[in-house]
Amino acid sequence: MQKHEKPPCISIVVALDGAQDRKAALQLVNQSIEETAAHLRTAWPDMAETLINALNELFDSYTYSPVDKGIGLYVAPNYNKLFRFSFPVQAKVCLGEKFALRELLYQEQYGFDYLVLHLEEKKVQLYRGKMDRLEQVNDDNFPFNFDNEYDYSTATTGERNKDKSVVAVMRQKSFYKAADRLLEAYLHGQPLILTGPTKDIGYFEDVFNHKKDVTASIHGNFSCVPLKTLEDKAWPAVKSFIEMRDQQVIRELEDRNAQVVDGIRDVLRAARNGQGSKLLIEKDFNSADFTDELTGRLRTKSSETTHTIDAVEDAMRAVIDKNGEIIFVKDGVLEDHKHIALITRY
């Protein structure tokens, strides 16, 4: 096998969704590192041990979590980083001039921040979310508790002349209006999900000022249940929001007036020419074509070469380099476009 002078960028993606426990997961990660180490010692003997040590350091720093569907180890000289993936991944090892991007870009598409506001009669709780994980906000504002002694604005006006039930509703709405004012400091354009009993969501919607930020409402009381129960409710709502947003791009793709190129070879050619505005890729689409990093030509990968890069990755890089956008869609959505399509600028 050919030896190389320039150190590689190492990308190891390990699929963990099939691992039944911590021991099985760590075994999969260790096996991938050992396979990579053997290749490094053959192709990059002078720098192999330094790179292998960096991989092992990442492995030692990894704390297993059953929610991880996969992890990514990324190592190069003076760089090492571990990423957790909460979505299914395809196992792979890439050694080349650049890191593999697909999983990182997919995580970026789905990994934006969002907020979950849980409403109940006596307490309002706020959570920060990223993908399928939530973290409760505990600061001077939240949780926000109902205080019978607190003057909730207009709720006390003329209370003596009103029915008790009417007064209760007025005070509840004023409580939620106060919570809404506190919420304003946390909203920076990210999606907001409301959760809580139907009655409380209704009261809150009557008084709050951020309707445009609400992505979904989930009815039910989640204040006394494990956090994972709320996570399992919130994450599908976020995914639905993303998929609805992506449907707009698919409609743009199908617009007869849109300039569209499809199929990996034509897409790659157009992307390299700087034409790419939006690149749509089915999540698990793998091309049989690879780019030779030395010549730039497309060909089928030989098992003996290390100077190849997935042509799909190459197309993604070309689009990003020209400030284009990468959008992953469900498998099968782009079947008529050979699983990959590029909306071009011209």
Side-chain angles (χ1 to χ4, degrees):
M1 180 176 290
Q2 180 183 359
K3 296 181 181 180
H4 308 290
E5 296 181 0
K6 186 176 180 180
C9 292
I10 304 169
S11 307
I12 301 177
V13 177
V14 185
L16 298 178
D17 52 338
Q20 296 181 350
D21 53 28
R22 176 181 179 275
K23 181 179 179 181
L26 295 181
Q27 186 175 353
L28 287 172
V29 179
N30 188 57
Q31 181 180 340
S32 295
I33 292 176
E34 288 181 350
E35 291 174 359
T36 305
H39 188 81
L40 289 171
R41 291 190 179 101
T42 301
W44 287 273
D46 295 337
M47 56 198 83
E49 293 310 313
T50 299
L51 296 169
I52 294 168
N53 287 339
L55 287 170
N56 285 326
E57 285 178 11
L58 286 181
F59 180 46
D60 292 340
S61 71
Y62 173 60
T63 302
Y64 169 74
S65 171
V67 303
D68 294 339
K69 298 293 193 302
I71 65 169
L73 307 174
Y74 299 86
V75 166
N78 303 316
Y79 181 88
N80 61 332
K81 186 77 172 178
L82 184 148
F83 291 88
R84 298 169 182 267
F85 302 125
S86 57
F87 52 88
V89 297
Q90 295 183 354
K92 65 183 178 184
V93 174
C94 299
L95 307 173
E97 294 184 357
K98 299 177 181 178
F99 289 120
L101 290 177
R102 180 191 291 257
E103 291 75 21
L104 299 177
L105 290 173
Y106 185 83
Q107 177 148 285
E108 184 176 299
Q109 178 176 330
Y110 280 83
F112 57 83
D113 295 332
Y114 62 94
L115 296 172
V116 175
L117 190 72
H118 183 63
L119 308 159
E120 60 173 307
E121 188 177 353
K122 299 297 183 182
K123 182 189 291 187
V124 176
Q125 295 165 287
L126 182 65
Y127 300 85
R128 290 189 177 95
K130 186 180 285 289
M131 301 197 77
D132 61 349
R133 306 299 294 274
L134 294 177
E135 180 181 357
Q136 185 172 358
V137 174
N138 286 284
D139 58 19
D140 292 339
N141 295 323
F142 292 99
F144 183 48
N145 296 298
F146 187 92
D147 183 355
N148 283 320
E149 302 301 319
Y150 184 78
D151 178 9
Y152 289 112
S153 178
T154 59
T156 58
T157 304
E159 285 184 352
R160 295 177 183 175
N161 301 320
K162 295 182 182 295
D163 181 87
K164 273 190 175 183
S165 62
V166 175
V167 172
V169 170
M170 291 176 64
R171 290 180 64 81
Q172 192 69 50
K173 287 186 177 182
S174 291
F175 169 59
Y176 286 145
K177 192 168 186 177
D180 180 50
R181 288 195 294 269
L182 295 176
L183 177 65
E184 190 166 355
Y186 301 83
L187 285 170
H188 304 289
Q190 66 270 59
L192 172 66
I193 296 174
L194 301 180
T195 66
T198 301
K199 177 186 68 175
D200 294 277
I201 290 177
Y203 288 161
F204 186 77
E205 289 177 336
D206 284 343
V207 298
F208 87 128
N209 294 314
H210 303 96
K211 293 180 174 63
K212 63 180 178 59
D213 296 305
V214 175
T215 298
S217 297
I218 302 173
H219 297 252
N221 194 332
F222 302 100
S223 60
C224 297
V225 299
L227 181 60
K228 189 175 187 309
T229 303
L230 183 57
E231 290 173 337
D232 289 345
K233 291 287 186 179
W235 177 231
V238 175
K239 287 203 296 184
S240 295
F241 165 74
I242 297 169
E243 289 165 3
M244 286 178 61
R245 184 188 63 184
D246 294 345
Q247 284 296 322
Q248 297 176 357
V249 183
I250 294 173
R251 285 193 291 271
E252 181 182 349
L253 177 69
E254 302 301 339
D255 187 337
R256 293 182 180 179
N257 295 322
Q259 298 287 332
V260 176
V261 175
D262 52 24
I264 182 57
R265 293 187 172 238
D266 290 338
V267 164
L268 182 55
R269 187 181 302 110
R272 285 175 172 174
N273 289 337
Q275 295 174 249
S277 173
K278 296 177 182 177
L279 178 62
L280 282 72
I281 312 167
E282 291 184 2
K283 177 183 176 292
D284 294 322
F285 170 58
N286 289 307
S287 170
D289 291 320
F290 286 77
T291 302
D292 189 307
E293 289 187 324
L294 300 178
T295 66
R297 295 179 180 175
L298 275 177
R299 60 186 176 81
T300 301
K301 182 180 179 183
S302 163
S303 60
E304 283 140 12
T305 183
T306 57
H307 273 300
T308 54
I309 181 172
D310 184 341
V312 176
E313 293 260 349
D314 198 4
M316 288 191 288
R317 288 200 185 99
V319 171
I320 292 171
D321 288 344
K322 299 298 182 180
N323 298 316
E325 185 178 357
I326 311 296
I327 300 166
F328 292 94
V329 298
K330 288 182 178 180
D331 292 338
V333 169
L334 300 176
E335 187 171 357
D336 292 341
H337 296 275
K338 304 173 187 175
H339 312 291
I340 185 168
L342 183 69
I343 299 175
T344 62
R345 296 186 173 97
Y346 54 89

